[in-house]
């Protein structure tokens, strides 16, 4: 306890010593003020005063000692000392005042420092509270920002803001209740974001569903443009005909024509809502759930896209156009979605949806086809389907189901073509006049020659129309039917235009259908009309059959040339043989009619087998007979080929010869005389001369039996017939049974004549 004040005095003594030895007054005052301030600050002002007093006493004693040594110096020193003392007293007074002032200031400083310390604590609390409040406000601001971003449809930005709020800012205010409140509201805000983005997605889905048909229409138009460009390239380079639409070559040649089906002046599909929705669900860890939801929605939209039924007519198939455009647009969007996203729409899901749509669409279209009864309308259906198939093929969709459906459609198309041909042919047959067709001029002849298959009898240059129309052998049914056949062929191959994968089906069906029509419609219809009693009609039918047979040969060659599958194979039509066979039927019918007329005329024969005087000339029936034969040979049969004419002549004259020979063989003729035989000889001679005038010597052989029989009956030695050698020389053609019968009748007649003459002589 006692050491501490001593140490304090030593320090003050040292400080005073330093003050006294200050190099200048300024330093002196500075050190003095500092020492006084330190003493006041430490409460040692009394100690300082004591030290100063002690220092003053020491100085006085020293001065006194020095004065004793040197009085004068002492006096001077005393004076100086008094002066110093006075200064010291003054300084002490000032020091005391300064001390008081310092004490007062120090008290204020202490109070202020205390207030400052207190204010710093408050300020720190305020700062901490302000910072916490600011953080809370930032949290609330971000929460509000999420709502603002949702209102402006910036869903992904809202989700990022919410994520930042949850993972960064909430951790800074986790000790406050507001953090719990905001944290508890995060799932709700996430739900709001998901709901908002799903609302936009649903609007987008509705929009693309409404745009599907327009998108399909644009895709169809683009495919049609590609078709036209390919046709133009084929016209310039025919070898490109081998490369169809969607082939690798066609795609390479057409790639310079850039066109985006999904973004053009007609339609624009913006996938942003889908991408945003997908991104948000992925960020929320709900990608798989969203993928399932999206797939279900698209399946529902697919069902809404497909109507329950369609109705077609010969004039309107627009409903099918709309259906296929919608299906195409829907499928294109699916394929585009698959390409624009990753692991969202799998190829299997898209293809499954496509197969489902194809099956449903085919099931809807098939019954509607019953409303179409015109082949041209069905061809339009096929063309629309072909455009649809080629469009979808370009988007890498399988079109096998549609290829199979086209085959079914082709079957119906074939049936309609056959029905139309049948109806047209029946009308042609009904309106045919069964006369050789007249040709008015060379232009008309060329028209007939261009559509018909026939062998020209004379070169075109030799045709002369100056004396009026010329005629061709066939009737108008033939060229009209040829036109129908050509149209029939063309329409079959029209079906394969642009797109048809089953070309062999067309080739096979065309051959079968054409054969069926030619056999069961054309040939049968002509044969059915052979029942007519009009010889001219039968002859014309035969001529027509001849030309139809020739047409079949030409058609076989034509089918072989145009056949696109198994090219070069020989084609054989059953109709060719049927027309050839039915020509025989027509010939027989002509024989029947001619022979019937001959029979009718022969029935009018009035021979008196027991005549008493010879007739003046040939019989009336035979004159009518030759007139009839002359007429049909020079008119009705004139258009027939010579070989057929020869057959008809041969058969008719043979029948006539047989009919004349049958007259004396009739059962009612019991006897006859030489006069009747001579009358018969007159008729046969007349008939032979008529045949000689035909210029066909071979026809005379027909009357050999009749001539030899008459010669036998006129012979004076009829027993020669029973001599084999003589008979073989003179009567080789006389029937072995008929000869004796006639001889017996002649003998009976001669015997009767002799008895009658004897009776008259006796009387």
């Amino acid at each position: 306890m006692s050491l501490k004040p001593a140490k304090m005095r030593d320090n003050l003594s040292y400080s005073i010593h330093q003050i006294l030895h200050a190099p200048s007054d300024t330093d002196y005052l500075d050190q003095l003020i500092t020492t006084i301030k330190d003493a006041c600050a430490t409460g040692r002002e009394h100690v300082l005063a004591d030290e100063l007093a002690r220092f003053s006493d020491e100085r006085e004693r020293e001065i006194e000692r020095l004065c004793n040594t040197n009085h004068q110096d002492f006096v001077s020193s005393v004076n100086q000392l008094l002066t110093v003392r006075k200064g010291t007293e003054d300084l002490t007074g000032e020091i005391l005042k300064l001390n008081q002032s310092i004490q007062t200031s120090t008290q204020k400083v202490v109070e202020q420092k205390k207030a400052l310390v207190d204010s710093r604590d408050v300020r720190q609390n305020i700062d901490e509270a302000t910072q916490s409040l600011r953080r809370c406000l930032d949290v609330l601001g971000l929460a509000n920002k999420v709502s603002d971003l949702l209102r402006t449809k910036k869903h992904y930005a809202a989700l990022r803001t919410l994520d930042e709020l949850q993972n960064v800012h909430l951790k800074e205010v986790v000790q406050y209740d507001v953090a719990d409140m905001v944290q508890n509201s995060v799932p709700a805000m996430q739900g709001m974001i998901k709901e908002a983005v799903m609302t936009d997605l649903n609007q987008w889905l509705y929009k693309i569903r409404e745009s599907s048909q327009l998108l399909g229409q644009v895709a169809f138009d683009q495919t049609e443009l590609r078709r036209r460009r390919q046709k133009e390239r084929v016209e310039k380079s025919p070898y490109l005909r081998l490369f169809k639409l969607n082939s690798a070559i066609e795609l390479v040649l057409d790639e310079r024509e850039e066109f985006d089906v999904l973004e053009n002046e007609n339609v624009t599909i913006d996938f942003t809502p889908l991408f945003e929705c997908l991104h948000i669900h992925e960020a929320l860890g709900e990608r798989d759930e969203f993928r399932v939801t999206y797939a279900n929605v698209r399946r529902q939209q697919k069902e809404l896209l497909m109507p329950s039924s369609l109705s077609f007519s010969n004039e309107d198939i627009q409903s099918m156009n709309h259906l296929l455009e919608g299906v195409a647009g829907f499928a294109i969007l699916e394929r585009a979605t698959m390409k624009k996203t990753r692991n969202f729409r799998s190829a299997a899901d898209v293809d499954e949806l496509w197969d489902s749509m194809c099956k449903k669409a085919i099931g809807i279209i098939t019954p509607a086809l019953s409303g179409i009864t015109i082949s041209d309308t069905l061809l339009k259906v096929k063309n629309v389907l072909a455009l649809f198939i080629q469009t979808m093929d370009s988007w890498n969709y399988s079109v096998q189901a549609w290829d199979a459906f086209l085959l079914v459609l082709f079957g119906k198309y074939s049936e309609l073509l056959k029905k139309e041909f049948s109806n047209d042919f029946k009308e042609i047959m009904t309106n045919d006049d069964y006369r050789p067709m007249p040709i008015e001029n060379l232009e008309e002849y060329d028209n007939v020659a261009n559509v018909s298959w026939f062998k020209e009898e004379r070169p075109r240059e030799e045709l002369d129309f100056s004396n009026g129309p010329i005629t061709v052998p066939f009737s108008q049914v033939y060229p009209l039917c040829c036109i129908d056949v050509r149209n029939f062929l063309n329409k079959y191959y029209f079906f394969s235009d642009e797109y048809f994968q089953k070309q062999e089906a067309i080739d096979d069906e065309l051959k079968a259908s054409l054969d069926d029509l030619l056999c069961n419609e054309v040939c049968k219809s002509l044969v059915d009309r052979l029942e007519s009693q009009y010889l001219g009609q039968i002859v014309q039918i035969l001529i027509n059959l001849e030309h139809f047979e020739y047409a079949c040969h030409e058609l076989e060659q034509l089918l072989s040339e145009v056949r696109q599958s198994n090219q070069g194979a020989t084609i054989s039509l059953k109709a060719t043989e049927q027309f050839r066979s039915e020509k025989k039927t027509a010939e027989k019918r002509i024989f029947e009619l001619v022979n019937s007329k001959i029979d009718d005329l022969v029935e009018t024969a009035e021979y008196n087998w027991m005549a008493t005087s010879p007739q003046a000339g040939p019989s009336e029936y035979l004159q009518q007979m030759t007139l009839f034969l002359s007429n049909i040979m020079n008119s009705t049969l004139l258009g027939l080929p010579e070989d057929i004419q020869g057959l008809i002549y041969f058969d008719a004259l043979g029948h006539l010869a047989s009919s004349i020979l049958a007259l004396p063989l009739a059962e009612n003729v019991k006897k006859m005389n030489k006069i009747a035989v001579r009358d018969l000889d007159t008729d046969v001679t007349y008939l032979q001369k008529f045949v000689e005038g035909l210029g066909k010597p071979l026809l005379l052989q027909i009357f050999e039996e009749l001539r030899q029989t008459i010669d036998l009956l006129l012979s004076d030695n009829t027993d020669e017939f029973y001599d084999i050698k003589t008979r073989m020389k003179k009567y080789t053609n006389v029937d072995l049974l008929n000869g004796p019968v006639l001889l017996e009748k002649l003998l009976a007649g001669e015997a009767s004549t002799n008895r009658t003459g004897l009776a008259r002589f006796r009387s």
Side-chain angles (χ1 to χ4, degrees), residues 610 671-674 746-762:
M610 296 300 293
K671 53 188 177 179
M672 59 182 173
N673 57 26
K674 293 280 187 176
L746 180 62
L747 290 175
E750 289 297 317
S752 177
T753 301
N754 291 336
R755 285 195 298 272
T756 302
L758 181 60
R760 289 178 179 175
F761 176 77
R762 290 177 178 176

Side-chain angles (χ1 to χ4, degrees), residues 539 543 632-641 645 649:
V539 170
I543 295 172
I632 64 171
M633 289 176 182
N634 294 322
S635 59
T636 307
L637 305 180
L638 190 61
L640 291 173
Q645 288 184 29
Y649 296 159

